[in-house]
Amino acid sequence: MSLTKFLDSTTDLYHPIRHWNQKDLSLLTGEKGQYKLALRWQVAFVQAGYKVFNLDCAVRFNPFLITAETRLQNIPPEPFLEEILIQRAFTPYQILDSLIALLQNPKPDTIYFLLAPCKQFLDGDVKDDEGLFLLHKMLHVLESFPKRQIPLLVVESWSYRHKNFQKFFPKLLGSANNLWELQTEDGLSRIKTRKIALAG
């Protein structure tokens, strides 16, 4: 399947997925707007014939954004929403169990999105030592996705104040083969490619 014919070559915000090899661990981050952009990407994937699965860890999925994006293109939203699945997980253990289940039973022609995974590990109900340990356990699981060639795109905020995030996030950045940062200034957005895997 190819995204090229579905995406306007002048639209820079779609450039990362137009050339994504879908084999490597990938990360979209930013201070704001990254979740909205991820949903726009999901519409593009469905247009190209893929199914999309969201593991939403902090209520970042918004079906109304999918509807708005399809209506901008003058196409009915219902067929798109039928191809975009969502599962929510609200504790570190639910997130880990869900990721392991996805890893063990991937669906063909499906793009997986992991939305805001770190937030629940930083919750005040989770002890700091336990939270940091579980974050590293999650990273180990995430690193298994490319080994099985399961396309996974992690979408996470660039910054949380929690000290565990400051320790963990650089390791997540280091593990990502593809790293894109959405930068927004004066109402304008652009994607900065910080790391890109060679197509192979």
Side-chain angles (χ1 to χ4, degrees), residues 13 106 176:
L13 293 180

Side-chain angles (χ1 to χ4, degrees), residues 97-142:
D97 288 345
S98 297
L99 285 171
I100 291 169
L102 294 175
L103 190 62
Q104 293 173 343
N105 190 28
K107 304 298 182 188
D109 299 324
T110 300
I111 307 293
Y112 292 89
F113 281 76
L114 178 59
L115 305 179
C118 295
K119 187 174 186 296
Q120 302 303 335
F121 294 81
L122 311 175
D123 188 88
D125 292 335
V126 180
K127 293 180 180 179
D128 285 353
D129 289 348
E130 179 186 20
L132 190 58
F133 170 79
L134 293 174
L135 278 168
H136 287 101
K137 188 172 182 179
M138 178 181 71
L139 182 58
H140 179 71
V141 175
L142 295 180

Side-chain angles (χ1 to χ4, degrees), residues 6 11 49 57 79 82 88 93 112 122 163 185 190 198:
F6 296 99
T11 305
C57 307
E82 289 174 2
R88 291 203 160 107
Y93 291 100
Y112 292 89
L122 311 175
K163 64 180 182 180
E185 187 175 349
R190 72 180 183 103
L198 296 175

